[in-house]
Amino acid sequence: MIGAVLLVAGLAALGWDLWRWSQIAGVEGGLHLTAAGELWYGLHPGSLNLTQAVVQRYLSPSLWDPALVTILLWPAALVLAVPGIVLLALGSIRRSGSHSGSRSRSHNHSRF
């Protein structure tokens, strides 16, 4: 479920970037992919600032910069969609493994 939400959010971010690019293509030229931090700040700046303060104060200042700052500078579409795809793939592997296990268990049970 979380993987699907992240994937849809990543696709929405990409769609937004493509729509903006189509509106200004003749004026500014190249495609600009919105950074994850830019998107987060645009949606809810208070939570971004709070997250920074909590990470720097209670975890580690070096975790915020350079680690999280680097990720926040990456395109939002990738930051959202890639973990979504990974979670969906892991869920698919888990489901396929549990189905085969449940079949063998029920099959074994029917022999007794």
Side-chain angles (χ1 to χ4, degrees):
M1 174 82 169
I2 294 172
V5 170
L6 287 172
L7 180 58
V8 168
L11 292 174
L14 180 61
W16 170 254
D17 289 339
L18 291 172
W19 180 81
R20 277 190 331 169
W21 175 68
S22 72
Q23 300 300 309
I24 61 170
V27 179
E28 293 184 20
L31 175 64
H32 168 73
L33 295 175
T34 305
E38 182 182 349
L39 176 64
W40 189 354
Y41 185 81
L43 293 173
H44 200 268
S47 65
L48 176 60
N49 291 332
L50 178 63
T51 301
Q52 178 184 2
V54 168
V55 168
Q56 287 179 327
R57 179 173 292 163
Y58 297 109
L59 298 176
S60 170
S62 61
L63 178 60
W64 180 260
D65 189 8
L68 293 176
V69 168
T70 300
I71 293 169
L72 291 173
L73 293 173
W74 291 348
L78 291 177
V79 171
L80 294 167
V82 170
I85 292 168
V86 169
L87 288 173
L88 286 173
L90 290 174
S92 175
I93 291 169
R94 184 172 173 242
R95 279 190 299 271
S96 68
S98 68
H99 287 313
S100 64
S102 65
R103 277 191 221 130
S104 65
R105 274 186 251 129
S106 64
H107 182 55
N108 291 339
H109 182 10
S110 64
R111 284 192 253 167
F112 291 111

